Amino acid sequence: DTVMPPTAGIGTIVHEAMERVPDGDLEQMRAIVAEHWPELDFETEWIGRKERRRADLLVGRLHSYLGDVRSEGGRVIGSEMEFRFAVDVPSSAADDVVPAVHPVGEDRANQAVIHGYIDRVEAYPSGAGEHAHARGRGWERMSAGGGDPTVVVDLKTGKNDPESDSGVLDHAQLAAYQVAVQEGLVDGAPPESLAGARLVIVSKTLAKSDYRIAHQHTLDDESRSAFLRRVSDAARGMSASSFTAQVESHCADTQRRVHPCRIHTVPAVSS
């Protein structure tokens, strides 16, 4: 069965357009949308037409972003770049212990393996790549240790992602990508050139930009340690015989069509 759910499918198609057409040629990206559109299953024809307009809009905004990358002298290091690393999981939490990172495959017990794919890695000439018009208020210039700044990019097509630099300070997905680069696991991206990771959000705009960028600056020792402790704590909790599902603010979000937290927010039915 090759039919995909529409919302997830549109995001998948737009991601493929960026991967296959890294220079952002609009007609080629539109051709990829047309190629895969029959794979999506819509409840009615009018919904299909509305979603097709949305897909074309997202591709047009992606075209704008990729054009801005070229205009700033940016180049693509790679797309859909796979990485794996392991994080130590001590038997108990300790604020003064930073979990170590190891290559996957080492004969070690009590580890959590982080495995993923980076949408895109870009390199820019020194001083370029800020995309200031898409960063919103309060943005700060990125920094890199040496060479052309390298930036990890995660493309977003949904409506619920953070929109500003301040919103991604503790973004775990971006932090995992940064650790992968810092550990030398991304070909063509020297660890010392890392200038951070960013969400490129084509579902949202600013007055002077067809897209938004939320940039996470290069992890320093403190933020890297906080991320690794977060991974270790989560793995320790999930490997226990039981753990408590905490009710948080997103659990009561009635605007979402999908309610993933209902299993622990709906009261049990009494006998």
Side-chain angles (χ1 to χ4, degrees):
D1 187 1
T2 60
V3 176
M4 294 184 287
T7 301
I10 290 172
T12 299
I13 293 170
V14 176
H15 275 77
E16 181 172 338
M18 182 173 71
E19 180 184 4
R20 289 173 53 185
V21 191
D23 63 351
D25 182 275
L26 185 56
E27 293 308 314
Q28 291 184 44
M29 291 197 295
R30 284 176 173 167
I32 291 171
V33 174
E35 174 188 344
H36 289 290
W37 201 252
E39 299 171 10
L40 303 184
D41 184 26
F42 298 98
E43 293 181 4
T44 65
E45 290 186 7
W46 74 266
I47 292 177
R49 291 192 297 269
K50 178 175 72 72
E51 290 300 288
R52 178 59 184 272
R53 290 193 296 271
R54 185 170 77 91
D56 287 339
L57 177 64
L58 296 179
V59 165
R61 291 174 177 174
L62 177 58
H63 165 74
S64 295
Y65 169 73
L66 297 176
D68 288 344
V69 172
R70 293 197 309 275
S71 69
E72 293 206 28
R75 59 184 176 86
V76 183
I77 292 176
S79 299
E80 287 298 310
M81 305 183 79
E82 185 177 12
F83 67 90
R84 287 183 176 86
F85 60 85
V87 179
D88 281 347
V89 182
S91 58
S92 60
D95 292 338
D96 59 340
V97 176
V98 179
V101 177
H102 303 280
V104 173
E106 290 188 358
D107 186 15
R108 293 173 178 269
N110 301 323
Q111 290 187 329
V113 174
I114 306 296
H115 174 219
Y117 292 84
I118 297 173
D119 284 347
R120 179 176 162 111
V121 181
E122 299 168 349
Y124 291 89
S126 179
E130 298 290 355
H131 298 269
H133 64 293
R135 298 270 293 277
R137 297 179 179 178
W139 68 276
E140 297 179 0
R141 299 190 69 86
M142 57 188 184
S143 61
D148 291 345
T150 299
V151 180
V152 175
V153 172
D154 189 53
L155 177 66
K156 295 296 186 184
T157 59
K159 301 177 181 179
N160 299 308
D161 296 295
E163 303 174 3
S164 64
D165 293 8
S166 61
V168 294
L169 288 174
D170 301 320
H171 197 283
Q173 182 180 6
L174 294 181
Y177 295 159
Q178 290 210 54
V179 171
V181 175
Q182 290 177 336
E183 294 296 313
L185 302 177
V186 179
D187 290 342
E192 66 275 8
S193 71
L194 179 62
R198 60 180 46 161
L199 305 181
V200 174
I201 309 165
V202 293
S203 55
K204 301 177 183 180
T205 63
L206 282 171
K208 297 182 180 181
S209 175
D210 284 341
Y211 56 91
R212 296 193 69 137
I213 283 180
H215 186 87
Q216 184 184 73
H217 290 279
T218 310
L219 296 180
D220 57 18
D221 290 343
E222 182 179 356
S223 54
R224 175 184 164 104
S225 298
F227 166 71
L228 295 175
R229 289 192 185 99
R230 184 176 175 186
V231 171
S232 181
D233 290 346
R236 187 183 306 106
M238 293 179 68
S239 63
S241 58
S242 64
F243 61 92
T244 302
Q246 302 292 341
V247 178
E248 300 183 1
S249 59
H250 68 273
C251 299
D253 187 352
T254 58
Q255 301 303 311
R256 294 173 180 262
R257 292 185 60 190
V258 178
H259 302 282
C261 304
R262 286 180 61 82
I263 192 170
H264 66 270
T265 57
V266 176
V269 177
S270 63
S271 58

